[in-house]
Amino acid sequence: MTGTPSPTTISTRLQRIAALAREIPGPLNNLAHHIDVEWLQEAHRKTRKDGAPGVDGQTAEEYGRNLEENLERLLDRAKSGTYKAPPVRRVEIPRPGKPNEARPIGIPTFEDKILQRAVAMALEAVYEQDFLDCSWGFRPGRSAHGAIDAIWHRAMKMHGGWIVEIDFRRFFDTLDHVRLREILGRRIRDGVLLRLMGKWLNAGVLDGDQVFHPHTGTPQGGVISPLLANIYLHEVLDEWFAQRVRPRLKGQAALTRYADDAVFIFEREEDARRVLSALPGRVAEYGLDLHPDKTRLVEFRPGPKHRDHDGGDPPRSFDFLGFTHYWCRSRKGRWVIRQKTAQDRFSRAVRAANEWCRRNRHHSIEEQHRQLCWKLRGHFSYYGITGNSRALVRFHQAVHKTWRKWLNRRSQRRTMTWERFAHVLERFPLPPPRPVHSIYA
């Protein structure tokens, strides 16, 4: 290897794989020969370098000191079958906005991330030719905002209808390995790639000083996990709905899926109820389970709410990807769909900001300001969509309030009054809340 490969060169090779996948709808046998040292170098370039080290303790910087030799050895082990997928190191981190609760995350080794990225690049070139337009998560050129935009346009075109929200119970922990291998085998027959994916599925998890080998689930923290989830749900939901369900319905219907979050919209209630009743059995065939409390049918049509049989107001909105979708009147009096930050996400973000300010209150104001600006811009870049200005302003005000509160507790001798805090904001202003995404384009 004599220098850095051009991304254009790798892109050309990816296009060749994509063209081959379009020409051959069945299994592909020879994909691993595309993966060479240059391919691994491109995978290394795309791999984050600031992550925590895995079970071997090796950082990205340490691996990069002898990159060429390391990648050559990695390639040889991967293709000869001697590569051993190391267990994933499990750590627990506080849940956002819930400092007393923790959630486990998996941390692969840096070298394993590179190899997973290399395999994912090849598989993505194949499966992008198969995936349907209803799928938006973890795909090139697609995003959560694209999924939200798709829902808005479909629901507006249908003048509302009936929504079926589905929620999988621990999807990434319960994905069936046997079923996944069957699904992969229908499209991929390359022994090198299938062997590597089998090793990742069986690599195990290091928790403390013990290694556990779960028989279900995707590789924890793995680069390849989102792609495997999409491949799995492409068969479980996308193809099933497009090929077997929708042709039998009496009215219009559409599916929007972002990874394991999915929403169906139906023109007719009877179609929605038929699909809702069929879904538990369908996902059970693949070892999955729907959450009974979070999977529901929602009447999502414009107009005033009507009392249900129990005298309460039935739900006329639904949550998807952190937004509550609801009908309201526009300034011209027309019924339109709007989105606002979902209440649980808003509360979680406020709690997280409060906890961060509490833990970092003794740092310099300059450093706190820099971090808070970064956090606010991140919040606005996701939740800053047309029609959500009120929630953005509320969050902006909440961060101001919590920052002043914890600055005030830095010292008992000098009170951080609102007047004094105003002078702080003159020197260190926080980013203003403003929408950055339009769903009406």
Side-chain angles (χ1 to χ4, degrees):
M1 186 173 62
T2 59
T4 304
S6 167
T8 304
T9 303
I10 303 299
S11 177
T12 301
R13 291 157 67 180
L14 288 169
Q15 290 173 13
R16 290 176 188 156
I17 296 176
L20 182 66
R22 287 192 295 270
E23 294 172 6
I24 304 175
L28 299 176
N29 298 308
N30 299 308
L31 292 175
H33 78 275
H34 292 281
I35 300 177
D36 54 17
V37 175
E38 285 190 340
W39 189 284
L40 288 179
Q41 194 172 22
E42 176 64 9
H44 171 267
R45 186 185 70 83
K46 291 183 174 182
T47 302
R48 285 185 56 180
K49 312 299 189 296
D50 57 350
V55 294
D56 60 357
Q58 188 175 49
T59 65
E61 181 181 1
E62 292 168 346
Y63 192 86
R65 289 174 189 160
N66 196 14
L67 182 62
E68 182 173 342
E69 184 177 338
N70 285 335
L71 293 182
E72 288 175 349
R73 287 202 300 262
L74 176 60
L75 180 67
D76 179 68
R77 285 180 287 140
K79 293 200 171 182
S80 66
T82 60
Y83 180 79
K84 295 182 179 180
V88 173
R89 181 167 69 91
R90 175 180 287 175
V91 298
E92 292 191 345
I93 62 172
R95 289 186 178 275
K98 297 181 179 180
N100 297 326
E101 296 183 22
R103 66 182 179 92
I105 63 169
I107 304 176
T109 64
F110 183 71
E111 182 175 67
D112 203 49
K113 292 178 185 178
I114 295 174
L115 189 56
Q116 286 194 34
R117 175 72 65 186
V119 172
M121 287 163 56
L123 291 181
E124 188 177 80
V126 173
Y127 280 98
E128 275 299 310
Q129 317 315 310
D130 300 344
F131 289 157
L132 304 181
D133 285 342
C134 63
S135 170
W136 290 89
F138 305 105
R139 294 181 57 190
R142 293 186 158 227
S143 66
H145 292 104
I148 294 167
D149 176 83
I151 285 181
W152 187 88
H153 281 90
R154 287 166 182 164
M156 287 292 294
K157 185 177 180 180
M158 292 169 59
H159 305 290
W162 295 82
I163 296 290
V164 172
E165 294 180 80
I166 68 170
D167 185 272
F168 290 100
R169 206 197 301 257
R170 300 174 60 242
F171 168 77
F172 285 93
D173 294 331
T174 58
L175 186 147
D176 186 273
H177 290 179
V178 175
R179 276 288 199 170
L180 177 59
R181 289 190 179 96
E182 291 176 0
I183 294 171
L184 287 168
R186 298 188 191 114
R187 199 67 167 105
I188 308 296
R189 291 284 174 84
D190 187 291
V192 172
L193 300 191
L194 291 176
R195 184 169 60 238
L196 284 172
M197 285 185 282
K199 290 182 177 183
W200 286 321
L201 292 173
N202 296 322
V205 177
L206 177 65
D207 193 352
D209 57 356
Q210 290 187 312
V211 177
F212 300 91
H213 295 274
H215 299 293
T216 59
T218 58
Q220 286 200 6
V223 174
I224 204 167
S225 291
L227 177 58
L228 294 180
N230 268 340
I231 292 170
Y232 203 74
L233 289 176
H234 172 71
E235 176 168 319
V236 176
L237 285 184
D238 304 355
E239 283 190 327
W240 171 72
F241 182 73
Q243 298 175 8
R244 295 171 53 185
V245 175
R246 192 161 51 194
R248 295 176 170 84
L249 301 179
K250 296 181 178 180
Q252 300 179 63
L255 164 65
T256 303
R257 182 177 64 80
Y258 188 94
D260 61 325
D261 291 322
V263 165
F264 299 84
I265 181 168
F266 299 89
E267 181 183 21
R268 301 172 66 121
E269 180 182 4
E270 58 185 300
D271 288 338
R273 293 193 179 278
R274 286 175 58 199
V275 173
L276 180 60
S277 64
L279 275 167
R282 172 63 181 179
V283 303
E285 293 178 25
Y286 292 81
L288 303 175
D289 186 26
L290 294 177
H291 197 294
D293 298 327
K294 298 180 181 179
T295 300
R296 61 174 189 158
L297 177 66
V298 177
E299 182 183 4
F300 189 66
R301 294 186 296 178
K305 292 183 179 180
H306 301 285
R307 294 280 179 177
D308 61 17
H309 296 300
D310 297 325
D313 286 335
R316 299 297 295 271
S317 64
F318 66 95
D319 290 352
F320 183 61
L321 298 180
F323 290 92
T324 297
H325 304 249
Y326 65 101
W327 287 96
C328 70
R329 293 277 192 181
S330 69
R331 292 180 179 178
K332 296 182 178 180
R334 299 172 182 169
W335 285 105
V336 295
I337 299 171
R338 292 277 172 82
Q339 291 94 359
K340 62 182 179 181
T341 309
Q343 185 56 48
D344 62 334
R345 296 293 186 93
F346 182 87
S347 300
R348 185 192 307 173
V350 172
R351 288 195 301 268
N354 181 74
E355 178 62 17
W356 187 91
C357 289
R358 183 189 69 81
R359 287 187 287 104
N360 294 275
R361 64 186 183 276
H362 294 300
H363 292 178
S364 68
I365 291 181
E366 291 85 352
E367 175 62 18
Q368 292 186 52
H369 174 257
R370 186 179 69 83
Q371 290 290 330
L372 284 174
C373 285
W374 180 79
K375 292 177 181 296
L376 278 168
R377 290 192 186 102
H379 185 91
F380 297 153
S381 69
Y382 185 77
Y383 292 104
I385 68 173
T386 307
N388 196 32
S389 297
R390 184 176 298 178
L392 301 183
V393 171
R394 286 175 55 217
F395 182 70
H396 191 259
Q397 293 171 342
V399 172
H400 275 78
K401 184 177 179 180
T402 197
W403 193 22
R404 187 204 70 86
K405 180 182 76 173
W406 291 109
L407 287 177
N408 185 47
R409 299 188 183 185
R410 291 188 351 154
S411 172
Q412 295 180 350
R413 292 177 297 176
R414 195 173 184 186
T415 303
M416 178 62 71
T417 63
W418 279 106
E419 182 179 359
R420 186 168 169 231
F421 185 60
H423 291 302
V424 172
L425 291 178
E426 287 180 4
R427 292 185 57 203
F428 303 102
L430 295 176
R434 60 167 62 100
V436 295
H437 302 282
S438 173
I439 62 170
Y440 305 129

